[in-house]
Amino acid sequence: MKTFYTLLLVAFIGVQDGQAQSVQYRTMPRQELENLELKTVKDFENAQDKAKRAESRMKDAKKSYDDFKKQYRQFKKEAAEQKKALKKVREALKLRDKLKKLSD
């Protein structure tokens, strides 16, 4: 029984090694494989460059977002201050109207 499992294990490992090397690439001439490698390297480098550009744009967009968020907070703070000032002015107008009514 041990022998059977050993043979099964060896066969399984052999199948994995056989599948690891694609038949398509094993049958290609060396020059063609080298050309394919160069093309693949070029495609890989292009993909990396695109990823770096996208990351750069993403960082720029985040910086812009953060700047706008700071401006938004500042504007909201200014609006809150103006609202308080408006409330005080309206209150003063009401008091003035009450004083006018009392004096008449």
Side-chain angles (χ1 to χ4, degrees):
M1 194 65 166
K2 249 183 178 178
T3 313
F4 175 74
Y5 287 127
T6 306
L7 287 173
L8 187 62
L9 180 65
V10 169
F12 181 71
I13 291 171
V15 168
Q16 284 183 336
D17 287 343
Q19 288 175 347
Q21 296 177 355
S22 176
V23 174
Q24 175 188 2
Y25 297 125
R26 283 190 292 165
T27 58
M28 278 186 175
R30 181 167 184 81
Q31 185 64 34
E32 204 172 322
L33 274 174
E34 288 173 354
N35 290 340
L36 183 62
E37 179 192 20
L38 292 175
K39 181 186 178 299
T40 306
V41 166
K42 182 180 175 186
D43 292 344
F44 173 70
E45 289 172 352
N46 287 339
Q48 279 186 324
D49 289 341
K50 287 179 184 177
K52 286 179 184 176
R53 283 194 302 267
E55 182 181 20
S56 175
R57 283 183 290 191
M58 186 174 63
K59 285 181 181 177
D60 292 343
K62 183 173 178 3
K63 187 177 182 316
S64 296
Y65 171 77
D66 290 341
D67 291 342
F68 284 124
K69 193 173 182 179
K70 285 179 186 175
Q71 287 179 0
Y72 170 75
R73 286 181 184 157
Q74 183 63 33
F75 292 148
K76 288 292 278 187
K77 190 176 181 180
E78 289 175 13
E81 290 172 1
Q82 293 298 324
K83 186 176 181 180
K84 287 179 185 177
L86 179 63
K87 188 176 180 181
K88 287 181 182 180
V89 169
R90 286 183 177 163
E91 193 175 305
L93 284 172
K94 283 183 186 179
L95 288 174
R96 187 166 289 222
D97 287 342
K98 284 182 183 181
L99 285 173
K100 188 176 183 182
K101 284 182 184 178
L102 289 173
S103 67
D104 288 341

